[in-house]
Amino acid sequence: MTTKGVRRPLGLAPTAVLLLGALYCLLPVCWVLAASTKTRGELFTTNAFAPGTGLFSNIADLSAYRDGIFWQWMANTALYAGVGALLSTAVSVLAGYALAKFRFFGRNMIFNVLIGGILVPAVVLAVPQYLLLAKAGLANTYWAVLLPSILHPYSIYLARIYASAAIPDALLEAGRIDGAGENRLLRVVAVPLMLPGMVTIFLFQFVAIWNNFLLPFIMLADDERFPLTVGLYTLLATGANQPALYNLVITGALLSIIPLIALFLTMQRYWRTDLSGGSVKS
Amino acid sequence: MRTKRLRLVMSAVLVGALAAGCSSGGQEETPQETGPVELTFWTWAPNMDKIAAVWNTAHPDIKVTVSKQAGGDEAAAKFLTAAKAGNAPDLVQAEYQMLPSFVAAEAVADIKGEVAGVRDQFSDGIWNLVTLGTDGVYGLPQDSGPMMFYYRTDLFTKYGIAVPKTWDEYAAAARTVHAKDKTVYLGGFSSKDPGWFAGLSQQAGGQWWSITGEAWKVGINDGPTKKVADFWGGLAKDGVIDTQAPWTPEWNAALNGGKIMSWASAVWAPGVLSSNAPDGKGKWAIAPLPQWSAGENYSGFWGGSSIAIAEGSKHKQAAAQFASWLNTDAKALDLLIKEAAIYPAAKSGQALMTTAPEYFANQADFWQQATNIAGTARGFTFGPNVNVAYSAYKDAFDKALQNKSSFTDALGAMHDATVADMKKSGFTLAS
């Protein structure tokens, strides 16, 4: 309310940079939108951004491909991303809260190891994880993709930062004086305060697992368990002597981002600062 | 004897690539079978599950489960990783150029004894691709990609050129066409398709790898291959052939719009043409590749794959039985052609192809011609690190195209990179 009437002049350079950035991000999406409406014949022969006439026949073809295995892949991806992101958020919040609010032996060491973990790209770990899970007899199962997704150092780091900023020590102390146990404090005080952070972590992980390619590619042998990324890749890389099924892949790519967009639009409202943010006067 | 020594030498490869601590599969004595044998089969051929279903109905004692995989280099890496972890499928589709790396990693079995009965179903050129020039047999050929010359009949008439019988005639025609219309090219050179270049080198008589005793010999820059590189280098330097990257929308548009009049490609090209250049339907025809000297009649292979059996498989006998059925039985070959849309490697399978592809409706004898050409195709032994050689090809020739520098040097760079990698991996090289 205080900024009313003090409108800053429109910064020309920043706006231009942002517009360019938006264009850079949105152009490929527009292309996928336009290309998925084209039939095989139209795909490479008509203007790149001109809509075609085959969206529904593409979707029908895709649904008919190998008795609708595309939808099986979609369900698999939803399972991997949904369950994986939920478990990962739970682990991250517990770990981050503990690291932020409790002093115990080895706390800094654990945190430093986690920071180190952030620096190791998940791609590097995929093959060792496969060999480990193969030994445990879990390769080529749903667990093979779910288990490695659960522990995510960056999410724990994020949860710790968020917990130390969003949960005032005074509030926890007040709770303890009032006789609340640690479990109750976590449930009633910590988790509600961390909700916006949890949503962020959940979305990050959901998107990361949804788009993950290498891990499921290595872990899964049975195409009934493939997620969308690996499944669509089998349509694209069909061997040297088969034409790639471009129009099906592009349509599949479009259908596969719709749930992500829907998720973002619905989860956005959790990102507002909550009322309890001002519960302590400091 | 020779293969045994070869294996010893080659066992060093790929160990470094994978972390330690992996069990290497149960390949102990075959246990007593109880109940039906279950086989898993990794392939990227479409509709293979339907073909396997036909087998399963006829053979209740051997049940094959197909798992459709992606093709290409990544598929090979995935199989090698799975083999290291002891999780390999019983049967795996292997591109011919990838088979040696599987053999070197001891991931696939020598099935010489199991498949001796079907040897005469395949031509010598194709059989050599699964024996690697040794006494062993490391897979059964499934499909093959003999190379041939695809051209636009209407445009050849329009520009007044004849189908080139030799590469010299091809070069002359390329200059003629480009002089008449600067936007049109007779054909193209692809720095993105090492398999294409390998096929043309096979035609010229190149021998990129060979095994003598226990040592590998690398001949990527041998005389015949140099001849091929120089030939395309000269045309590219003069700008009379198209050098843009193929398989891009621009290339598709050029092919579709008649800006590229011919394509030295393989037997699987009709599928590509019909989807990427739909407007050319009925205007293309095939002929044998131009030859290096008049009167010769050779071709090479671009693409194609075999079915190999994993060393870790507990049911090698049953797997070999299925692989033999799949690639030589008349009913299976018919299904491969109709359902999986492949060009079978077996001679009897090639004879089954009678109706010309719809796209080539104007050329009724398409398959007869193709079969004749397939008989003239000669392959060469691929080495254990084809992926390294192939990526070196892309790097070196991309650079040569960009800087308009010598193709001979690019070939030399490819050769050196391949040799250096083999040394690093612990192979013995013949000097």
Side-chain angles (χ1 to χ4, degrees):
Chain A
M1 290 298 128
T2 49
T3 51
K4 198 176 178 184
V6 219
R7 252 177 97 183
R8 284 186 345 114
L10 188 70
L12 212 60
T15 313
V17 169
L18 284 178
L19 275 178
L20 262 177
L23 204 68
Y24 179 80
C25 295
L26 290 177
L27 216 57
V29 181
C30 295
W31 184 84
V32 170
L33 255 173
S36 61
T37 63
K38 293 178 185 178
T39 60
R40 263 179 109 158
E42 291 167 339
L43 189 55
F44 293 119
T45 48
T46 55
N47 182 289
F49 290 97
T53 56
L55 178 62
F56 293 104
S57 72
N58 280 346
I59 294 177
D61 283 352
L62 187 64
S63 300
Y65 176 77
R66 299 188 53 217
D67 306 326
I69 196 163
F70 174 81
W71 298 104
Q72 171 78 37
W73 295 336
M74 184 74 102
N76 289 343
T77 310
L79 175 83
Y80 293 135
V83 176
L86 268 180
L87 290 175
S88 174
T89 310
V91 169
S92 303
V93 164
L94 286 177
Y97 171 68
L99 284 169
K101 292 296 165 194
F102 294 94
R103 309 204 157 269
F104 52 91
F105 178 73
R107 179 175 86 145
N108 281 335
M109 200 193 70
I110 292 177
F111 190 62
N112 288 340
V113 169
L114 277 172
I115 298 271
I118 296 175
L119 300 177
V120 182
V123 175
V124 175
L125 298 176
V127 170
Q129 280 169 344
Y130 171 73
L131 295 173
L132 271 174
L133 285 169
K135 265 212 149 159
L138 288 174
N140 193 28
T141 62
Y142 283 109
W143 288 111
V145 179
L146 280 176
L147 284 179
S149 321
I150 290 175
L151 190 77
H152 190 237
Y154 185 69
S155 298
I156 298 178
Y157 171 76
L158 213 64
R160 184 200 157 142
I161 301 288
Y162 199 87
S164 53
I167 310 172
D169 285 336
L171 206 60
L172 293 176
E173 256 155 57
R176 281 188 192 112
I177 290 166
D178 287 348
E182 289 302 334
N183 282 332
R184 184 156 179 205
L185 274 181
L186 176 74
R187 229 176 39 240
V188 180
V189 179
V191 169
L193 284 171
M194 287 178 74
L195 200 62
M198 286 166 66
V199 171
T200 310
I201 292 169
F202 178 80
L203 281 178
F204 266 158
Q205 271 300 79
F206 191 90
V207 175
I209 301 173
W210 190 277
N211 291 330
N212 198 355
F213 173 77
L214 192 72
L215 184 78
F217 177 78
I218 295 178
M219 290 289 180
L220 302 172
D222 185 351
D223 52 354
E224 295 275 311
R225 296 196 186 93
F226 281 177
L228 281 167
T229 45
V230 180
L232 288 176
Y233 182 67
T234 62
L235 292 189
L236 197 62
T238 43
N241 45 3
Q242 306 288 342
L245 302 163
Y246 286 116
N247 56 337
L248 296 191
V249 175
I250 292 167
T251 311
L254 177 75
L255 292 179
S256 74
I257 55 172
I258 290 174
L260 284 186
I261 295 172
L263 191 74
F264 261 83
L265 291 180
T266 51
M267 297 291 257
Q268 229 173 13
R269 63 201 183 91
Y270 290 100
W271 262 321
R272 64 182 174 207
T273 333
D274 51 319
L275 293 170
S276 45
S279 56
V280 173
K281 194 178 170 199
S282 50
Chain B
M1 287 310 279
R2 227 164 58 168
T3 45
K4 194 142 198 180
R5 265 183 297 172
L6 176 71
R7 280 183 173 197
L8 272 177
V9 175
M10 294 190 296
S11 62
V13 85
L14 230 123
V15 172
L18 294 161
C22 36
S23 66
S24 62
Q27 61 210 40
E28 285 75 40
E29 310 84 79
T30 321
Q32 282 300 313
E33 317 279 8
T34 47
V37 176
E38 301 257 346
L39 297 175
T40 49
F41 178 20
W42 285 8
T43 173
W44 57 83
N47 295 323
M48 193 59 96
D49 39 353
K50 291 184 189 157
I51 302 174
V54 173
W55 160 272
N56 288 340
T57 322
H59 300 80
D61 51 329
I62 301 175
K63 185 173 178 289
V64 177
T65 309
V66 169
S67 181
K68 190 170 186 300
Q69 304 290 321
D73 297 354
E74 292 79 8
K78 181 172 175 174
F79 172 71
L80 283 173
T81 314
K84 268 289 164 211
N87 272 334
D90 298 283
L91 294 133
V92 64
Q93 184 175 7
E95 287 178 290
Y96 291 122
Q97 74 268 21
M98 287 304 168
L99 198 54
S101 63
F102 292 177
V103 175
E106 295 187 354
V108 294
D110 181 355
I111 48 169
K112 189 171 141 203
E114 284 86 346
V115 298
V118 297
R119 161 67 185 92
D120 51 356
Q121 291 267 353
F122 303 96
S123 74
D124 294 343
I126 285 176
W127 193 251
N128 192 37
L129 292 172
V130 293
T131 62
L132 321 183
T134 68
D135 300 332
V137 178
Y138 298 99
L140 275 185
Q142 176 161 300
D143 55 328
S144 78
M147 289 184 75
M148 47 193 80
F149 187 69
Y150 289 81
Y151 65 100
R152 281 278 293 260
T153 47
D154 55 332
L155 295 177
F156 269 50
T157 318
K158 183 180 164 197
Y159 288 99
I161 50 172
V163 178
K165 293 255 185 301
T166 64
W167 286 109
D168 284 340
E169 286 177 30
Y170 179 93
R175 287 173 212 283
T176 314
V177 168
H178 196 61
K180 283 187 179 161
D181 186 340
K182 289 281 175 235
T183 64
V184 177
Y185 294 100
L186 176 66
F189 172 83
S190 168
S191 59
K192 307 283 182 210
D193 290 316
W196 172 82
F197 186 72
L200 291 178
S201 303
Q202 290 168 355
Q203 188 213 10
Q207 294 290 343
W208 286 8
W209 284 274
S210 51
I211 307 164
T212 28
E214 49 189 89
W216 283 92
K217 190 164 177 293
V218 182
I220 291 174
N221 63 350
D222 65 1
T225 311
K226 256 190 197 145
K227 187 168 63 181
V228 178
D230 280 346
F231 174 80
W232 291 101
L235 291 178
K237 201 170 153 217
D238 295 349
V240 294
I241 47 159
D242 181 42
T243 53
Q244 69 170 317
W247 315 102
T248 59
E250 291 78 21
W251 179 79
N252 289 334
L255 207 60
N256 192 42
K259 298 293 176 196
I260 300 174
M261 291 166 49
S262 75
W263 188 24
S265 186
V267 69
W268 40 260
V272 178
L273 288 172
S274 61
S275 80
N276 298 10
D279 293 351
K281 189 177 168 188
K283 295 173 184 161
W284 289 79
I286 55 166
L289 282 183
Q291 300 294 318
W292 284 105
S293 33
E296 265 182 6
N297 195 7
Y298 289 119
S299 179
F301 292 105
W302 180 12
S305 56
S306 59
I307 303 300
I309 294 167
E311 182 67 49
S313 167
K314 293 191 181 73
H315 312 289
K316 295 200 185 76
Q317 191 75 43
Q321 222 176 314
F322 172 72
S324 305
W325 173 82
L326 180 64
N327 295 309
T328 58
D329 182 84
K331 192 173 175 194
L333 289 169
D334 190 50
L335 285 167
L336 278 179
I337 294 164
K338 293 203 175 106
E339 297 284 354
I342 64 158
Y343 183 70
K347 284 187 262 186
S348 58
Q350 292 172 2
L352 288 174
M353 312 212 48
T354 45
T355 322
E358 204 192 334
Y359 193 82
F360 283 83
N362 54 316
Q363 199 169 21
D365 64 344
F366 182 91
W367 291 118
Q368 255 161 289
Q369 288 231 32
T371 306
N372 290 344
I373 293 168
T376 68
R378 51 181 177 186
F380 57 47
T381 303
F382 282 105
N385 64 340
V386 175
N387 51 347
V388 173
Y390 275 15
S391 60
Y393 170 86
K394 291 182 207 166
D395 290 350
F397 283 87
D398 264 347
K399 226 181 273 169
L401 278 180
Q402 218 164 45
N403 306 337
K404 300 203 183 310
S405 58
S406 144
F407 274 33
T408 319
D409 292 351
L411 187 67
M414 179 187 171
H415 178 90
D416 294 344
T418 310
V419 170
D421 177 73
M422 285 180 74
K423 276 189 185 144
K424 207 173 71 190
S425 308
F427 290 97
T428 315
L429 291 177
S431 47

